[in-house]
Amino acid sequence: MNVLWIDFWHWLRPSPLFGLTLTLGAFALGQVVARLCRSHPLANPLLLATIFIVAVLLATDVPYADYFEGAKFMHFLLGTATVALAVPLARHTPALRKDFVRIGAGILVGMTVATGSALALVWLFGGDATVLRSLAPKSVTTPIAIGIAERLGGLPSLAVASVMVAGISGAIFGIPLLRRMRIEDPRIVGIALGITSHGIGTARAFQFDVKAGAYAALGMAVTGALLAVILPLCFWLYSRLAALF
Amino acid sequence: MVESLFFLLLLQLLGEAIVRFLALPIPGAVLGMLLLWLWLVASLPTPKKLEPLVRGILDYLTLLFIPAAVGIIEQKQRIVSDGWWLLLVLVFSTLAGIVAAAWVMRRLEKHDTYETPPGTENAQ
């Protein structure tokens, strides 16, 4: 009986039946809790599911590699989902064209400040290269951020954590901060939240105003596409310059 | 559904292939996204069920982040030693980005209304 149980456990651990079932169950649980908390940004289903799975893995002594072996199928689909993001991006392209200078300037400045200040501060505080490469895509929507972090040689998990913090903090403090600046224009609220806090900020913007939500989705999509090209180029240039001196 | 998924996978494959053959630093899936975006903006024909499939995938997008996010379990030491100041940096830079974007957009709006002839603000 005992031997059978141990055999079964060894078979189950790296199988998709463990990784996928645990992931789906944890996410379902996260969604229930989030609904109970009336979708407060802190009660984020991704955050809750991650905490729950980490707790289960620690309690059962399953290594991350075993869990990932089973769950990697979902991780692969992230790439496909990234391609699919072109559909909302194309849908928002006419709105971008209509108010190109203002939205473009808002996106470029906000994106540069949000990313540049984070990188400068990490560098000032003496963070190592891995932290720098993992935090760089913090304002980018998660699927693209994971792709960027992998491409830069950062840690995808640390990238996801940074993206979550950027998303949650922007969703909680963004609108009160903008109110203090006496900004209520849904277009500005939307762009500001979308480019700094991606999907989580976009969800918050939709709660504020439907128009703000649409603009947040636009800002998020453009930021993701731009930074996916700009960040690797910056890091490549930096390594070239560093090699020269 | 099958054609749509095949279409998305094909673009993902094309993106990865181009990135690898040309040694581009950007993620292959992002290039796939940019190719699909160009395709859509140019109004080229797409598989019939592409829209519902994409909606389905994006509805459950968050689910796909979990396997990567759980990897944080291997960064315990880094979180304990650097977690607090990293958290502060992330929150500060996010709020700085929000303020900067809003400030620029408000400046440009004032410029707009200045150029608009009086009495036509609501003419849209």
XYZ file of all heavy atoms in Angstrom, chain A residues 116-217:
727
model
N 12.969 53.869 -17.481
C 14.285 54.477 -17.250
C 14.562 54.712 -15.777
O 15.665 54.420 -15.293
N 13.556 55.219 -15.028
C 13.800 55.504 -13.615
C 14.027 54.196 -12.853
O 14.876 54.134 -11.957
C 12.642 56.300 -13.009
O 11.463 55.537 -12.997
N 13.314 53.149 -13.212
C 13.510 51.858 -12.533
C 14.922 51.338 -12.783
O 15.628 50.938 -11.845
C 12.479 50.836 -13.011
N 15.361 51.380 -14.039
C 16.691 50.868 -14.365
C 17.770 51.713 -13.687
O 18.743 51.177 -13.140
C 16.906 50.863 -15.890
C 16.089 49.824 -16.654
C 16.360 49.914 -18.145
C 16.403 48.424 -16.142
N 17.586 53.059 -13.705
C 18.581 53.942 -13.092
C 18.680 53.666 -11.593
O 19.783 53.604 -11.032
C 18.203 55.402 -13.348
N 17.529 53.490 -10.926
C 17.544 53.266 -9.474
C 18.168 51.914 -9.124
O 18.953 51.812 -8.180
C 16.116 53.349 -8.915
C 15.537 54.763 -8.833
C 14.059 54.731 -8.483
C 16.298 55.583 -7.792
N 17.828 50.876 -9.903
C 18.426 49.556 -9.647
C 19.947 49.652 -9.789
O 20.713 49.136 -8.973
C 17.863 48.493 -10.616
C 18.675 47.206 -10.544
C 16.406 48.197 -10.288
N 20.365 50.357 -10.828
C 21.802 50.519 -11.083
C 22.462 51.291 -9.939
O 23.521 50.910 -9.441
C 21.986 51.249 -12.415
C 23.402 51.398 -12.822
C 24.202 50.434 -13.358
C 24.199 52.577 -12.715
N 25.447 50.950 -13.591
C 25.475 52.259 -13.217
C 23.951 53.879 -12.258
C 26.509 53.187 -13.265
C 24.973 54.804 -12.307
C 26.241 54.461 -12.805
N 21.784 52.368 -9.475
C 22.315 53.184 -8.372
C 22.440 52.373 -7.086
O 23.424 52.491 -6.358
C 21.376 54.369 -8.104
C 21.705 55.669 -8.808
C 20.636 56.707 -8.493
C 23.086 56.176 -8.384
N 21.428 51.555 -6.798
C 21.436 50.763 -5.569
C 22.355 49.552 -5.678
O 22.446 48.750 -4.756
C 20.021 50.292 -5.211
C 19.169 51.362 -4.608
C 17.949 51.712 -5.171
C 19.568 52.011 -3.444
C 17.158 52.702 -4.600
C 18.780 52.997 -2.870
C 17.579 53.349 -3.456
N 22.997 49.400 -6.837
C 23.956 48.318 -7.006
C 23.336 46.960 -7.282
O 23.909 45.935 -6.931
N 22.159 46.945 -7.926
C 21.556 45.668 -8.313
C 22.390 44.999 -9.394
O 23.024 45.682 -10.208
N 22.439 43.667 -9.403
C 23.279 42.991 -10.398
C 22.590 42.930 -11.767
O 21.439 43.329 -11.934
C 23.694 41.593 -9.907
C 22.508 40.694 -9.656
O 21.517 40.798 -10.396
O 22.568 39.888 -8.709
N 23.343 42.434 -12.757
C 22.866 42.433 -14.140
C 21.584 41.624 -14.293
O 20.702 41.991 -15.063
C 23.954 41.889 -15.060
N 21.484 40.519 -13.539
C 20.297 39.669 -13.658
C 19.049 40.434 -13.215
O 18.005 40.362 -13.865
C 20.462 38.411 -12.790
O 21.727 37.839 -13.075
C 19.386 37.400 -13.083
N 19.172 41.178 -12.106
C 18.031 41.964 -11.626
C 17.658 43.016 -12.669
O 16.483 43.200 -12.996
C 18.368 42.626 -10.267
C 17.260 43.570 -9.849
C 18.586 41.573 -9.200
N 18.660 43.686 -13.217
C 18.439 44.730 -14.211
C 17.686 44.164 -15.425
O 16.714 44.744 -15.899
C 19.808 45.270 -14.644
C 19.930 46.744 -14.981
C 19.453 47.598 -13.829
C 21.365 47.090 -15.344
N 18.141 43.012 -15.904
C 17.547 42.398 -17.099
C 16.154 41.835 -16.821
O 15.362 41.664 -17.735
C 18.452 41.280 -17.609
C 19.679 41.810 -18.302
C 20.792 40.794 -18.369
N 22.055 41.461 -18.688
C 22.486 41.641 -19.925
N 21.801 41.174 -20.932
N 23.616 42.280 -20.154
N 15.885 41.504 -15.552
C 14.561 40.963 -15.213
C 13.553 42.071 -14.960
O 12.362 41.915 -15.230
C 14.649 40.074 -13.971
O 15.709 39.176 -14.067
N 14.044 43.227 -14.418
C 13.136 44.325 -14.102
C 12.832 45.201 -15.312
O 11.828 45.907 -15.324
C 13.746 45.203 -12.984
C 13.076 45.071 -11.624
C 13.361 43.705 -11.038
C 13.560 46.158 -10.676
N 13.715 45.155 -16.310
C 13.570 46.062 -17.462
C 12.166 46.034 -18.071
O 11.606 47.091 -18.345
C 14.630 45.736 -18.511
N 11.546 44.854 -18.268
C 10.209 44.882 -18.895
C 9.070 45.053 -17.901
O 7.963 44.603 -18.154
C 10.136 43.518 -19.587
C 10.994 42.619 -18.785
C 12.052 43.473 -18.133
N 9.278 45.738 -16.770
C 8.265 45.818 -15.718
C 6.963 46.497 -16.152
O 5.913 46.201 -15.593
C 8.833 46.580 -14.517
C 9.226 48.005 -14.861
C 9.517 48.808 -13.626
C 8.302 49.479 -13.099
N 7.996 50.771 -13.754
N 7.016 47.376 -17.153
C 5.788 48.066 -17.564
C 5.091 47.369 -18.717
O 4.102 47.862 -19.237
C 6.113 49.496 -17.997
O 6.639 50.214 -16.917
N 5.628 46.240 -19.136
C 5.125 45.568 -20.334
C 4.133 44.485 -19.923
O 4.290 43.841 -18.886
C 6.298 44.970 -21.113
C 5.816 44.238 -22.340
C 7.289 46.055 -21.492
N 3.126 44.267 -20.760
C 2.154 43.216 -20.495
C 2.872 41.860 -20.351
O 3.842 41.583 -21.058
C 1.071 43.199 -21.596
O 0.136 42.197 -21.282
C 1.642 42.924 -22.964
N 2.440 41.052 -19.394
C 3.201 39.869 -18.965
C 3.710 38.946 -20.072
O 4.873 38.564 -20.032
C 2.400 39.063 -17.927
O 1.791 39.980 -17.033
C 3.291 38.132 -17.146
N 2.864 38.559 -21.074
C 3.402 37.627 -22.072
C 4.631 38.192 -22.776
O 5.624 37.489 -22.973
C 2.240 37.421 -23.045
C 1.312 38.547 -22.802
C 1.466 38.895 -21.357
N 4.575 39.470 -23.136
C 5.712 40.091 -23.826
C 6.876 40.274 -22.844
O 8.039 40.082 -23.204
C 5.294 41.435 -24.469
C 4.176 41.197 -25.490
C 6.469 42.117 -25.135
C 3.700 42.434 -26.205
N 6.558 40.622 -21.586
C 7.607 40.827 -20.579
C 8.412 39.543 -20.370
O 9.647 39.583 -20.265
C 6.996 41.281 -19.257
N 7.730 38.401 -20.341
C 8.434 37.121 -20.175
C 9.342 36.889 -21.381
O 10.503 36.497 -21.235
C 7.418 35.969 -19.990
C 6.703 36.116 -18.649
C 8.118 34.613 -20.069
C 5.563 35.136 -18.442
N 8.832 37.171 -22.580
C 9.630 37.021 -23.792
C 10.864 37.918 -23.759
O 11.969 37.485 -24.093
N 10.677 39.175 -23.322
C 11.805 40.114 -23.266
C 12.837 39.634 -22.245
O 14.036 39.607 -22.526
C 11.322 41.541 -22.900
C 10.415 42.094 -24.005
C 12.506 42.479 -22.703
C 9.826 43.457 -23.691
N 12.364 39.260 -21.046
C 13.290 38.823 -19.995
C 14.098 37.610 -20.461
O 15.315 37.540 -20.255
C 12.527 38.496 -18.714
N 13.427 36.661 -21.130
C 14.136 35.469 -21.635
C 15.177 35.876 -22.668
O 16.297 35.381 -22.668
C 13.133 34.478 -22.246
C 12.429 33.632 -21.200
C 11.289 32.776 -21.768
O 10.917 32.982 -22.948
O 10.767 31.931 -21.020
N 14.810 36.821 -23.521
C 15.703 37.262 -24.596
C 16.909 38.025 -24.027
O 18.010 37.952 -24.558
C 14.911 38.156 -25.557
C 15.383 38.105 -26.971
C 14.840 36.880 -27.688
N 15.449 36.760 -29.028
C 16.559 36.076 -29.268
N 17.183 35.455 -28.295
N 17.056 36.030 -30.492
N 16.680 38.801 -22.952
C 17.764 39.598 -22.363
C 18.653 38.762 -21.452
O 19.707 39.220 -21.024
C 17.188 40.767 -21.538
C 16.455 41.879 -22.272
C 15.953 42.910 -21.271
C 17.367 42.535 -23.294
N 18.220 37.554 -21.118
C 18.974 36.736 -20.181
C 18.630 37.050 -18.727
O 19.441 36.820 -17.834
N 17.433 37.583 -18.496
C 16.961 37.799 -17.133
C 16.190 36.578 -16.651
O 16.166 35.547 -17.325
N 15.572 36.697 -15.462
C 14.791 35.591 -14.916
C 13.304 35.846 -15.173
O 12.768 36.830 -14.688
C 15.017 35.475 -13.410
C 16.453 35.230 -12.967
C 16.604 35.521 -11.482
C 16.847 33.798 -13.278
N 12.639 34.975 -15.952
C 11.216 35.184 -16.233
C 10.387 35.337 -14.950
O 9.478 36.158 -14.896
C 10.819 33.925 -17.002
C 12.074 33.441 -17.612
C 13.172 33.800 -16.663
N 10.725 34.573 -13.908
C 9.911 34.641 -12.685
C 10.031 36.008 -12.022
O 9.042 36.576 -11.560
C 10.344 33.555 -11.708
O 11.670 33.766 -11.297
N 11.253 36.562 -11.999
C 11.452 37.881 -11.406
C 10.771 38.944 -12.270
O 10.228 39.937 -11.747
C 12.954 38.164 -11.287
C 13.383 39.191 -10.250
C 12.839 38.840 -8.884
C 14.907 39.284 -10.202
N 10.780 38.725 -13.595
C 10.084 39.647 -14.499
C 8.592 39.639 -14.192
O 7.979 40.705 -14.073
C 10.336 39.256 -15.957
N 8.007 38.453 -14.014
C 6.572 38.381 -13.718
C 6.283 39.095 -12.397
O 5.323 39.862 -12.291
C 6.079 36.919 -13.644
C 4.611 36.865 -13.267
C 6.284 36.216 -14.976
N 7.144 38.886 -11.394
C 6.935 39.541 -10.096
C 6.990 41.058 -10.253
O 6.144 41.776 -9.703
C 7.979 39.065 -9.091
N 7.962 41.580 -11.024
C 8.066 43.033 -11.213
C 6.857 43.572 -11.957
O 6.332 44.638 -11.619
C 9.304 43.399 -12.029
O 10.342 42.527 -11.793
N 6.411 42.823 -12.961
C 5.249 43.243 -13.734
C 4.018 43.312 -12.823
O 3.216 44.243 -12.897
C 5.010 42.272 -14.915
C 3.690 42.550 -15.594
C 6.145 42.383 -15.927
N 3.905 42.328 -11.914
C 2.776 42.310 -10.977
C 2.807 43.525 -10.058
O 1.785 44.165 -9.817
C 2.826 41.052 -10.105
C 2.688 39.767 -10.857
S 0.981 39.341 -11.070
C 0.493 39.161 -9.389
N 4.006 43.837 -9.522
C 4.112 44.982 -8.609
C 3.765 46.269 -9.352
O 3.004 47.108 -8.846
C 5.523 45.067 -7.985
C 5.653 46.342 -7.160
C 5.803 43.852 -7.122
N 4.307 46.431 -10.572
C 4.003 47.631 -11.365
C 2.501 47.716 -11.625
O 1.897 48.783 -11.485
C 4.771 47.599 -12.679
N 1.896 46.591 -11.965
C 0.467 46.576 -12.263
C -0.377 46.915 -11.049
O -1.238 47.794 -11.093
N -0.097 46.244 -9.943
C -0.924 46.426 -8.744
C -0.743 47.833 -8.167
O -1.719 48.499 -7.818
C -0.592 45.339 -7.699
C -1.048 43.966 -8.221
C -1.254 45.642 -6.360
C -0.624 42.797 -7.368
N 0.513 48.330 -8.116
C 0.723 49.650 -7.515
C 0.082 50.744 -8.368
O -0.519 51.677 -7.838
C 2.212 49.921 -7.297
O 2.913 49.857 -8.514
N 0.191 50.611 -9.696
C -0.445 51.602 -10.560
C -1.957 51.570 -10.437
O -2.615 52.611 -10.420
N -2.510 50.353 -10.312
C -3.968 50.222 -10.214
C -4.482 50.794 -8.896
O -5.573 51.357 -8.833
C -4.366 48.756 -10.353
N -3.686 50.676 -7.818
C -4.137 51.173 -6.516
C -3.930 52.686 -6.398
O -4.838 53.423 -6.027
C -3.406 50.456 -5.365
C -3.825 48.977 -5.318
C -3.717 51.126 -4.025
C -3.109 48.171 -4.258
N -2.714 53.161 -6.743
C -2.375 54.565 -6.481
C -2.575 55.481 -7.683
O -2.574 56.699 -7.529
C -0.921 54.677 -6.015
C -0.619 53.867 -4.784
C 0.308 52.831 -4.814
C -1.273 54.137 -3.588
C 0.579 52.075 -3.685
C -1.012 53.384 -2.452
C -0.087 52.353 -2.493
N -2.717 54.917 -8.888
C -2.754 55.726 -10.104
C -3.868 56.754 -10.120
O -3.620 57.953 -10.287
N -5.108 56.296 -9.918
C -6.238 57.213 -10.044
C -6.255 58.268 -8.928
O -6.438 59.453 -9.214
C -7.561 56.415 -10.171
C -7.574 55.752 -11.558
C -8.779 57.307 -9.997
C -8.723 54.841 -11.830
N -6.015 57.898 -7.642
C -5.908 58.941 -6.613
C -4.825 59.978 -6.931
O -5.021 61.192 -6.715
C -5.542 58.161 -5.347
C -6.040 56.784 -5.582
C -5.944 56.557 -7.060
N -3.701 59.505 -7.476
C -2.595 60.405 -7.831
C -3.037 61.371 -8.935
O -2.781 62.582 -8.862
C -1.428 59.546 -8.316
C -0.053 60.175 -8.388
C 0.404 60.576 -6.998
C 0.947 59.180 -8.982
N -3.721 60.853 -9.942
C -4.173 61.696 -11.050
C -5.244 62.678 -10.574
O -5.309 63.811 -11.034
C -4.715 60.818 -12.193
C -3.648 59.988 -12.913
C -4.277 58.994 -13.877
C -2.680 60.895 -13.667
N -6.094 62.232 -9.625
C -7.103 63.139 -9.061
C -6.428 64.320 -8.399
O -6.864 65.456 -8.515
C -7.932 62.401 -7.996
C -9.015 61.566 -8.585
C -10.378 61.827 -7.938
N -11.376 61.122 -8.740
C -11.738 59.865 -8.504
N -11.253 59.213 -7.468
N -12.620 59.278 -9.276
N -5.334 64.039 -7.683
C -4.604 65.101 -6.997
C -4.027 66.089 -8.012
O -3.904 67.271 -7.732
C -3.478 64.488 -6.151
C -2.829 65.457 -5.231
C -2.220 64.797 -4.026
N -3.227 64.269 -3.116
C -2.932 63.711 -1.944
N -1.663 63.603 -1.582
N -3.879 63.258 -1.161
N -3.707 65.590 -9.211
C -3.227 66.476 -10.282
C -4.410 67.131 -11.008
O -4.230 67.807 -12.011
C -2.407 65.676 -11.315
C -1.065 65.178 -10.834
S -0.333 64.036 -12.058
C 0.163 65.195 -13.354
N -5.631 66.859 -10.524
C -6.883 67.344 -11.129
C -7.033 66.852 -12.556
O -7.416 67.592 -13.454
C -6.950 68.872 -11.089
C -6.952 69.401 -9.675
C -7.733 70.688 -9.542
N -7.642 71.163 -8.174
C -6.592 71.840 -7.721
N -5.603 72.154 -8.515
N -6.556 72.223 -6.455
N -6.690 65.589 -12.788
C -6.879 65.002 -14.115
C -8.003 63.979 -14.039
O -7.953 63.040 -13.253
C -5.575 64.351 -14.606
C -4.577 65.445 -14.968
C -5.838 63.454 -15.813
C -3.222 64.938 -15.340
N -9.065 64.232 -14.838
C -10.204 63.318 -14.872
C -10.473 62.851 -16.295
O -11.334 62.008 -16.521
C -11.462 64.004 -14.324
C -11.322 64.527 -12.899
C -11.916 63.566 -11.875
O -12.733 62.711 -12.270
O -11.561 63.676 -10.695
N -9.770 63.440 -17.268
C -9.953 63.082 -18.673
C -9.712 61.582 -18.853
O -8.616 61.093 -18.611
C -8.968 63.903 -19.520
C -9.131 63.632 -21.011
O -9.759 62.617 -21.364
O -8.620 64.431 -21.815
N -10.753 60.825 -19.280
C -10.592 59.365 -19.377
C -9.473 58.948 -20.319
O -8.859 57.898 -20.129
C -11.960 58.883 -19.895
C -12.660 60.095 -20.386
C -12.116 61.253 -19.621
N -9.191 59.783 -21.332
C -8.125 59.419 -22.274
C -6.770 59.447 -21.571
O -5.936 58.553 -21.735
C -8.109 60.384 -23.461
C -9.297 60.193 -24.389
C -9.384 61.299 -25.402
N -9.501 62.605 -24.725
C -9.603 63.752 -25.359
N -9.573 63.784 -26.670
N -9.733 64.878 -24.701
N -6.550 60.483 -20.746
C -5.265 60.598 -20.042
C -5.154 59.507 -18.976
O -4.129 58.835 -18.857
C -5.110 62.000 -19.416
C -5.174 63.064 -20.509
C -3.815 62.090 -18.635
C -4.945 64.475 -20.012
N -6.242 59.316 -18.202
C -6.228 58.276 -17.167
C -5.923 56.921 -17.797
O -5.080 56.154 -17.310
C -7.589 58.230 -16.424
C -7.656 57.037 -15.478
C -7.819 59.529 -15.649
N -6.578 56.639 -18.935
C -6.396 55.351 -19.601
C -4.966 55.148 -20.065
O -4.332 54.140 -19.743
N -4.443 56.109 -20.800
C -3.075 55.967 -21.324
C -2.082 55.819 -20.169
O -1.229 54.920 -20.179
C -2.703 57.187 -22.199
C -3.527 57.209 -23.477
C -1.213 57.173 -22.533
C -3.145 56.182 -24.515
N -2.209 56.685 -19.145
C -1.242 56.657 -18.035
C -1.247 55.289 -17.343
O -0.188 54.744 -17.021
C -1.559 57.770 -17.035
N -2.437 54.717 -17.136
C -2.508 53.414 -16.458
C -2.068 52.279 -17.381
O -1.383 51.355 -16.958
C -3.930 53.153 -15.956
C -4.367 53.946 -14.735
C -5.772 53.553 -14.321
C -3.416 53.727 -13.576
N -2.446 52.358 -18.651
C -2.132 51.273 -19.584
C -0.647 51.114 -19.831
O -0.136 50.001 -19.892
N 0.069 52.249 -19.964
C 1.491 52.140 -20.310
C 2.349 51.794 -19.103
O 3.449 51.307 -19.267
C 2.039 53.428 -20.959
C 1.893 54.611 -20.022
C 1.358 53.701 -22.265
C 2.514 55.859 -20.575
N 1.872 52.033 -17.885
C 2.712 51.733 -16.718
C 2.262 50.457 -16.019
O 3.067 49.763 -15.430
C 2.659 52.876 -15.685
O 1.284 53.148 -15.409
C 3.317 54.120 -16.217
N 0.965 50.168 -16.089
C 0.424 49.057 -15.311
C -0.312 48.035 -16.178
O -1.104 47.239 -15.646
C -0.501 49.584 -14.221
O 0.205 50.498 -13.410
N -0.063 48.085 -17.516
C -0.513 47.049 -18.467
C -1.907 46.483 -18.166
O -2.818 47.264 -17.917
C 0.543 45.947 -18.545
C 1.036 45.502 -17.185
N 0.404 44.559 -16.480
C 2.056 45.950 -16.409
C 1.009 44.415 -15.316
N 2.019 45.243 -15.245
N -2.083 45.180 -18.117
C -3.400 44.559 -17.990
C -4.117 44.889 -16.691
O -5.331 45.116 -16.678
N -3.369 44.921 -15.582
C -3.992 45.203 -14.286
C -4.475 46.657 -14.259
O -5.579 46.955 -13.797
C -3.006 44.911 -13.136
C -2.529 43.460 -13.228
C -3.649 45.179 -11.783
C -1.450 43.084 -12.226
N -3.650 47.565 -14.802
C -4.049 48.968 -14.894
C -5.223 49.143 -15.843
O -6.116 49.962 -15.598
N -5.243 48.349 -16.917
C -6.336 48.437 -17.879
C -7.656 48.005 -17.231
O -8.690 48.651 -17.425
C -6.031 47.555 -19.105
O -4.809 48.016 -19.694
C -7.129 47.637 -20.146
N -7.603 46.938 -16.432
C -8.809 46.489 -15.734
C -9.316 47.592 -14.799
O -10.520 47.867 -14.732
C -8.512 45.221 -14.951
N -8.396 48.256 -14.102
C -8.762 49.347 -13.193
C -9.359 50.515 -13.986
O -10.321 51.145 -13.561
C -7.528 49.798 -12.406
C -7.765 50.878 -11.385
C -8.547 50.370 -10.192
N -9.029 51.471 -9.345
C -10.182 52.093 -9.544
N -10.971 51.728 -10.517
N -10.543 53.083 -8.737
N -8.740 50.819 -15.150
C -9.221 51.922 -15.984
C -10.641 51.645 -16.462
O -11.478 52.553 -16.516
C -8.286 52.136 -17.169
N -10.949 50.372 -16.784
C -12.300 50.014 -17.218
C -13.312 50.256 -16.101
O -14.451 50.638 -16.361
C -12.360 48.560 -17.683
C -12.170 48.405 -19.161
C -11.079 47.754 -19.679
C -13.107 48.943 -20.040
C -10.901 47.622 -21.057
C -12.947 48.814 -21.413
C -11.837 48.156 -21.920
N -12.888 50.031 -14.840
C -13.790 50.293 -13.710
C -14.065 51.795 -13.593
O -15.149 52.213 -13.199
C -13.176 49.801 -12.396
C -13.104 48.287 -12.284
C -12.393 47.847 -11.016
O -11.646 48.602 -10.409
N -12.629 46.606 -10.612
N -13.055 52.612 -13.945
C -13.168 54.066 -13.856
C -14.108 54.582 -14.939
O -14.996 55.391 -14.675
C -11.772 54.685 -14.007
C -11.732 56.176 -14.011
C -11.848 56.885 -12.833
C -11.553 56.867 -15.203
C -11.804 58.274 -12.841
C -11.507 58.246 -15.216
C -11.634 58.956 -14.032
N -13.925 54.093 -16.176
C -14.667 54.608 -17.313
C -14.368 53.714 -18.519
O -13.223 53.320 -18.722
C -14.188 56.048 -17.575
C -14.917 56.714 -18.733
O -14.615 56.405 -19.890
O -15.800 57.537 -18.441
N -15.383 53.404 -19.328
C -15.180 52.496 -20.461
C -14.162 53.080 -21.447
O -13.291 52.379 -21.967
C -16.507 52.222 -21.193
C -16.283 51.291 -22.368
C -17.512 51.607 -20.239
N -14.268 54.391 -21.688
C -13.357 55.047 -22.625
C -11.918 54.953 -22.095
O -10.984 54.684 -22.854
C -13.774 56.508 -22.784
C -13.234 57.142 -24.041
C -13.839 58.534 -24.201
C -13.220 59.266 -25.372
N -13.645 60.674 -25.385
N -11.756 55.167 -20.782
C -10.421 55.069 -20.176
C -9.867 53.659 -20.386
O -8.681 53.483 -20.690
C -10.491 55.399 -18.688
N -10.733 52.657 -20.254
C -10.297 51.284 -20.444
C -9.793 51.032 -21.859
O -8.756 50.403 -22.062
N -10.523 51.575 -22.853
C -10.113 51.387 -24.246
C -8.755 52.042 -24.489
O -7.879 51.466 -25.146
C -11.167 51.962 -25.180
N -8.572 53.247 -23.945
C -7.290 53.924 -24.126
C -6.165 53.214 -23.379
O -5.023 53.187 -23.838
C -7.391 55.394 -23.694
C -7.921 56.262 -24.803
C -9.288 56.419 -25.004
C -7.054 56.875 -25.695
C -9.783 57.178 -26.046
C -7.526 57.638 -26.741
C -8.898 57.792 -26.908
O -9.378 58.533 -27.958
N -6.484 52.628 -22.221
C -5.474 51.865 -21.480
C -5.021 50.659 -22.298
O -3.825 50.368 -22.394
C -6.039 51.417 -20.131
N -5.994 49.985 -22.935
C -5.648 48.816 -23.754
C -4.752 49.232 -24.918
O -3.786 48.540 -25.265
C -6.924 48.157 -24.276
